[in-house]
Amino acid sequence: ERAANLISSFKRVAADQTSGEMREFDVVECFKDTILSLEPKLNPSHISVEIHGGEGLRINNSPGSLSQVATNLILNATLHAYPEGAGGKIDIWITVTPQKEVEIRFQDSGRGIHKDQTKRIFEPFVTSLRAKGGTGLGLSIVYNIITRNFSGTVECQSDLGKGATFIIRFPLEQAVESTTPA
């Protein structure tokens, strides 16, 4: 049953990411499918991902685009936030703000990012792992998807030794139905 769920999740995520189709979807289910599809990379790194809130929040946009954002942020944390094999945790909070925006917070408890680098982190080709094959495109892609496809914003807050938090906000008007309290 677990293998069947994993295959089904892979298919949904792959189809959504390649089609770019706009449709109504549940935000939490999109994240769960993405996390399930990333388990082969997360398990060896001993990094867990937990989703908080967002139940019943449905939006009309591209689930593949949101899945790509989640993938890039999660994989970025597995590569940069924690020493290899050390393990760690990523928390994702999904809420609706009083300003009527969907807010998604990705927070890791890793090594953090130097303040100088947080100012440039969404620029293409900015990476701390160039020597290990890092391209520096992951967060640039996140920024472009959120600002262009979702008419939103994305920011990074971090201190060395205290992890990193990526805050994504986009207009609630894209929401189809929400049972999440404001």
Side-chain angles (χ1 to χ4, degrees):
E1 185 178 317
R2 178 149 166 73
N5 286 340
L6 187 58
I7 290 169
S8 178
S9 174
F10 278 138
K11 286 181 180 179
R12 275 192 306 275
V13 170
D16 283 341
Q17 285 185 349
T18 57
S19 76
E21 173 190 346
M22 299 280 284
R23 66 176 171 85
E24 180 182 321
F25 66 96
D26 184 291
V27 174
V28 171
E29 290 305 312
C30 178
F31 279 95
K32 285 181 179 178
D33 282 346
T34 302
I35 293 163
L36 189 58
S37 75
L38 293 173
E39 275 189 5
K41 291 189 183 247
L42 293 171
N43 288 341
S45 64
H46 307 288
I47 294 175
S48 65
V49 182
E50 191 171 333
I51 301 170
H52 310 274
E55 292 83 11
L57 179 60
R58 300 180 65 78
I59 63 173
N60 188 20
N61 205 306
S62 168
S65 293
L66 193 57
S67 177
Q68 185 66 56
V69 166
T71 297
N72 288 15
L73 287 170
I74 291 167
L75 293 181
N76 195 65
T78 64
L79 291 171
H80 296 276
Y82 303 102
E84 192 170 328
K89 184 175 181 191
I90 300 168
D91 287 294
I92 302 170
W93 283 273
I94 303 169
T95 59
V96 177
T97 69
Q99 295 79 24
K100 303 293 185 212
E101 295 175 310
V102 174
E103 181 177 275
I104 303 169
R105 286 181 175 257
F106 285 77
Q107 184 173 22
D108 68 62
S109 57
R111 39 182 142 211
I113 304 165
H114 193 276
K115 289 242 184 258
D116 291 341
Q117 198 167 15
T118 59
K119 295 173 186 173
R120 300 184 51 234
I121 202 157
F122 298 111
E123 294 175 15
F125 311 114
V126 171
T127 182
S128 62
L129 293 177
R130 185 145 343 268
K132 293 185 178 182
T135 63
L137 293 174
L139 293 177
S140 176
I141 291 169
V142 166
Y143 179 84
N144 285 321
I145 288 172
I146 293 302
T147 58
R148 293 178 183 168
N149 297 16
F150 289 83
S151 301
T153 61
V154 59
E155 66 179 283
C156 174
Q157 298 174 350
S158 183
D159 288 313
L160 285 176
K162 297 182 181 179
T165 302
F166 291 86
I167 304 163
I168 295 168
R169 291 185 187 101
F170 56 86
L172 180 62
E173 61 199 33
Q174 292 186 38
V176 176
E177 149 191 342
S178 174
T179 59
T180 306

